[in-house]
Amino acid sequence: MVKVNLWDQVNQGNFSSVTEFLLMGVSSLGKIQLILFALFLCLYMIILSGNITIVTVIRLDHSLHVPMYFFLGILSISETCYTLVILPKMLINLLSLLRTISFTNCATQMFFFLGFAITNCMLLGVMGYDRYVAICHPLRYPVLMCWKICGQLAASCAGIGFMLSLLDSLLVFELPFCGPNKINHYFCDISPVIQLACTDTYINELVIFIGGVLALMVPLTFICFSYGFIVRAILRIPSAEGKRKAFSTCASHLTVVIVHYGCASFVYLRPSTKYSSSKDRLVTVTYTVVTPLLNPMVYSLRNKDVQVAIRKMIAWGGFYPKAKI
């Protein structure tokens, strides 16, 4: 009898009996599911159209071929892919009675979600550095932010993002899952999934937590230092108009940074044992839906260069790639 128990424990540690998960995040919404489906579908269409518009405008208008808009275009592409990983499945689940996702697809969703999310954090940090160089070292800006360096920075953001994502995903899905298989969320996020593991997860959670601190706090600290120098440089500008223009170039970036890092820090900079399903789902909606929606709106509504480029594209039908100002 002892041999059988030991054999069962070995088997339990070597493979997962769970082959699929149930996404229960929208199961208790009842009749409002159709209303939420229509709402999130509209928001998703706005996110897609807004980000695609920004990427298209930046691509077509040569006056926007500068590092700041290059990184904004990369951020818009990343945000589009980021929402593509989560929202279509959530929309399907709002209309479906069987809200299942296979073990492999769950791992894949988590990998790409974390990859694009961390990439976005890194990109926001790089955009803060870009503003710092532009305002504090304008004469050296063409050298410090040449296209080769911009490409290397963008590639580094994606590389770091997906390496950390791969590490986190492996730490979660190497664990044995013997049941239950109900994820109390609307997608495969770290905390609700790792809680289903049928073994001690302390070491895995600790490594994931350290990775989350690095992914969030390092870029955020870099942004804070950058804006400290930026504010000091702006305060030295003699004219009020010059100060206003300098601050306006940073306002859009700061707005997105505050929303993105604030919500992500609330969810990920704490142990999974303190996971609160209802509060976390609400906050997660903010950075999976509101932040991707906020990016194109903030950068298009508050940015005169983008506004002018959009009006030109609309007036000319987008057929003229070069715009002169």
Side-chain angles (χ1 to χ4, degrees):
M1 188 67 177
V2 175
K3 292 181 178 180
V4 173
N5 288 336
L6 289 174
W7 177 250
D8 290 341
Q9 290 177 7
V10 171
N11 281 342
Q12 181 175 321
N14 286 336
F15 65 87
S16 297
S17 60
V18 171
T19 59
E20 65 180 15
F21 294 100
L22 296 175
L23 296 172
M24 308 301 291
V26 297
S27 60
S28 60
L29 298 176
K31 295 181 179 179
I32 66 169
Q33 287 182 201
L34 288 177
I35 298 174
L36 289 176
F37 173 82
L39 174 63
F40 283 117
L41 180 61
C42 291
L43 292 176
Y44 186 44
M45 292 297 103
I46 294 172
I47 291 169
L48 288 179
S49 59
N51 282 306
I52 290 172
T53 298
I54 284 184
V55 173
T56 304
V57 167
I58 292 173
R59 174 68 182 87
L60 294 179
D61 196 324
H62 283 207
S63 67
L64 301 181
H65 288 186
V66 294
M68 182 175 75
Y69 296 110
F70 168 75
F71 291 119
L72 175 57
I74 299 296
L75 180 64
S76 294
I77 293 172
S78 182
E79 290 281 16
T80 302
C81 297
Y82 172 74
T83 55
L84 186 64
V85 174
I86 299 172
L87 290 184
K89 181 63 176 176
M90 184 182 74
L91 291 171
I92 292 171
N93 287 344
L94 283 169
L95 295 180
S96 175
L97 295 176
L98 189 62
R99 303 177 180 93
T100 61
I101 183 170
S102 70
F103 188 89
T104 302
N105 287 342
C106 187
T108 303
Q109 185 185 58
M110 183 181 292
F111 168 72
F112 282 106
F113 161 71
L114 291 175
F116 287 117
I118 299 172
T119 298
N120 292 345
C121 291
M122 298 295 169
L123 283 171
L124 289 172
V126 169
M127 292 171 75
Y129 172 72
D130 172 74
R131 292 299 82 210
Y132 159 73
V133 176
I135 294 173
C136 299
H137 303 283
L139 298 179
R140 299 176 61 195
Y141 185 78
V143 176
L144 294 175
M145 296 301 293
C146 66
W147 287 115
K148 181 180 179 180
I149 293 177
C150 289
Q152 291 173 344
L153 288 172
S156 298
C157 290
I160 293 171
F162 281 95
M163 280 193 295
L164 288 176
S165 171
L166 179 62
L167 174 63
D168 288 348
S169 300
L170 289 175
L171 285 170
V172 173
F173 288 96
E174 73 167 3
L175 296 168
F177 293 89
C178 314
N181 66 338
K182 294 180 180 180
I183 299 175
N184 198 9
H185 213 322
Y186 59 89
F187 71 98
C188 292
D189 203 359
I190 292 177
S191 294
V193 173
I194 204 170
Q195 285 188 337
L196 300 179
C198 51
T199 187
D200 179 48
T201 62
Y202 174 76
I203 298 299
N204 301 64
E205 288 185 46
L206 179 62
V207 176
I208 291 171
F209 176 76
I210 294 172
V213 171
L214 292 174
L216 288 171
M217 297 311 298
V218 171
L220 182 58
T221 302
F222 193 75
I223 290 171
C224 291
F225 276 110
S226 297
Y227 274 99
F229 289 113
I230 288 171
V231 170
R232 188 178 68 174
I234 291 176
L235 292 177
R236 292 176 179 175
I237 298 175
S239 66
E241 180 65 20
K243 291 179 180 178
R244 188 193 64 79
K245 287 183 178 179
F247 272 119
S248 66
T249 62
C250 303
S252 300
H253 179 249
L254 273 177
T255 302
V256 175
V257 165
I258 291 170
V259 175
H260 183 88
Y261 279 97
C263 297
S265 299
F266 176 83
V267 175
Y268 295 107
L269 294 187
R270 60 195 171 117
S272 295
T273 52
K274 295 185 178 180
Y275 170 72
S276 173
S277 59
S278 57
K279 290 182 180 179
D280 282 19
R281 284 203 303 269
L282 181 61
V283 175
T284 306
V285 167
T286 303
Y287 68 79
T288 56
V289 179
V290 177
T291 303
L293 178 68
L294 187 67
N295 285 352
M297 295 184 69
V298 167
Y299 281 111
S300 60
L301 294 177
R302 294 182 59 89
N303 192 297
K304 291 183 179 180
D305 292 335
V306 176
Q307 291 173 5
V308 170
I310 290 175
R311 284 196 290 267
K312 286 181 180 179
M313 191 177 71
I314 294 174
W316 297 348
F319 295 111
Y320 298 92
K322 187 171 182 178
K324 297 181 181 179
I325 295 180

